[in-house]
Amino acid sequence: MNTVGERALVVEGGAMRGIFSCGVLDHFLAHGFSPFDSFWGVSAGASNLAAYLANMPGRNRKIYLDYSLRKEFIRPGKFALGGDLMDLDWMWNITLKELGIDKEVLRADPRPFFLGVTRQDTGQAEYLTPHIDMLVETMKASSALPVMYRHGVDLEGIRYVDGGVADAIPVAEAIRRGVTKIMVLRSRPNSYRKSAPKFASLTKRLLKDYPSLIEPMLTRHLRYNAALTLINNPPEGVTIIEVCPPENFSLKRLSRNADSLEQAYGIGVVAGQEAIERWKQEPEESLACCSSAVEDQTNG
């Protein structure tokens, strides 16, 4: 508990929408900004944090704007035949081979890095701080969204799926462990609230082999919206700085449009500068996330 410290950075996932937080984090790296005691990432947010902690600016930008747009990654035909829609195995193998990840820099940083995952056998959230040699597979597990990546990821005998199923924005867990000042990097506008699933019967059918995941998948919106309520109404003594895209941000989870992705990255860079300024002001209360600077970038 004591190793978590008082200041945390929490990064939401969101598949291709994660390029926004990628831009924010690259700006942090460019300005040597890392005042946090612990780091909490889920799904794409965990991968973005790994590149940030490895001090590799531009690494994940290339993944979003190059590797994620290749035909090998999203494969509807394979999915229709019972395979995975997102080929995470191909993605992880090729990016590690061609881009790498600086394990020495990661190993030298003593601050804990929590990766949010969901146990496939119970549907419960876990927050793993893996040994550096297990980091890559844990990142994959945190991104393994049920249905899109069908079988989960085995980590030392236990199978895990996307952390967003059980806890997409682990602010409550960070507070529970003693954090009192949190910056949250979102992938949705401030006004967004998740709706109940429209195709519950289809979800049940697709997850029939993993019954413990059915209820968590059908109730994701409740936990997600509860996290947003907490962000906007933190307990006494806790400050939360929320950094999110502007209200007209409409990037899709599986967007394949390079221009839209590039623009979203640029919006994140602008938001990164404002996030630094807001952190240094040490606000007493949680703040609205959408700024005039970000709005101007988007509208321009």
Side-chain angles (χ1 to χ4, degrees):
M1 294 283 286
N2 293 332
T3 62
V4 173
E6 296 180 351
R7 300 165 297 180
L9 177 61
V10 176
V11 186
E12 181 184 6
M16 302 300 279
R17 288 192 291 267
I19 196 169
F20 170 78
S21 65
C22 177
V24 174
L25 293 170
D26 276 358
H27 186 82
F28 286 0
L29 284 176
H31 292 269
F33 180 74
S34 189
F36 311 104
D37 301 314
S38 65
F39 303 87
W40 305 70
V42 177
S43 194
S47 296
N48 288 344
L49 269 176
Y52 170 71
L53 291 170
N55 194 24
M56 299 181 71
R59 179 189 188 273
N60 282 23
R61 177 179 180 274
K62 182 171 178 60
I63 291 176
Y64 285 108
L65 295 175
D66 180 359
Y67 297 96
S68 293
L69 302 182
R70 298 186 191 183
K71 62 180 178 8
E72 291 90 346
F73 182 47
I74 304 294
R75 306 182 66 176
K78 184 177 180 181
F79 181 70
L81 296 175
D84 297 323
L85 177 62
M86 303 170 65
D87 195 336
L88 295 182
D89 300 318
W90 171 84
M91 174 65 78
W92 257 248
N93 290 337
I94 193 170
T95 54
L96 285 173
K97 178 181 178 181
E98 298 184 1
L99 302 178
I101 188 78
D102 196 327
K103 291 185 177 181
E104 293 307 312
V105 172
L106 287 165
R107 186 179 287 113
D109 194 329
R111 297 172 295 179
F113 175 19
F114 296 90
L115 290 84
V117 293
T118 303
R119 281 187 63 139
Q120 192 178 70
D121 60 347
T122 67
Q124 296 298 306
E126 291 191 7
Y127 312 91
L128 306 181
T129 53
H131 184 275
I132 192 65
D133 293 331
M134 287 295 294
L135 176 62
V136 171
E137 281 299 294
T138 308
M139 288 163 53
K140 185 195 294 185
S142 187
S143 298
L145 189 65
V147 180
M148 292 187 183
Y149 187 83
R150 296 181 188 272
H151 304 298
V153 176
D154 185 290
L155 300 177
E156 299 181 328
I158 299 175
R159 299 197 79 85
Y160 293 93
V161 299
D162 192 301
V165 173
D167 189 2
I169 313 175
V171 171
E173 182 66 17
I175 294 173
R176 189 185 73 81
R177 300 197 190 199
V179 174
T180 57
K181 185 174 181 180
I182 306 172
M183 178 177 286
V184 183
L185 305 187
R186 298 277 311 285
S187 60
R188 293 277 202 174
N190 175 259
S191 64
Y192 173 79
R193 296 296 182 273
K194 187 178 289 293
S195 301
K198 296 179 180 178
F199 306 104
S201 59
L202 177 60
T203 298
K204 291 177 182 178
R205 186 162 67 250
L206 291 172
L207 291 174
K208 60 182 175 60
D209 293 332
Y210 309 106
S212 294
L213 292 179
I214 294 174
E215 189 274 341
M217 282 289 286
L218 295 179
T219 57
R220 280 194 302 162
H221 64 292
L222 300 177
R223 290 182 299 282
Y224 187 91
N225 294 338
L228 299 184
T229 297
L230 177 60
I231 289 170
N232 287 291
N233 300 277
E236 184 177 357
V238 175
T239 296
I240 300 180
I241 299 170
E242 186 184 26
V243 181
C244 52
E247 290 300 319
N248 57 357
F249 187 80
S250 58
L251 196 69
K252 302 299 183 183
R253 171 179 285 274
L254 298 180
S255 174
R256 311 283 286 168
N257 187 292
D259 291 339
S260 297
L261 291 165
E262 183 71 72
Q263 183 187 36
Y265 176 85
I267 294 170
V269 170
V270 172
Q273 178 57 45
E274 184 168 334
I276 293 173
E277 295 170 359
R278 289 168 56 204
W279 180 271
K280 291 179 178 178
Q281 293 172 1
E282 298 188 359
E284 295 296 328
E285 300 175 351
S286 59
L287 302 176
C289 71
C290 298
S291 68
S292 59
V294 176
E295 293 286 359
D296 290 345
Q297 171 76 5
T298 306
N299 295 331

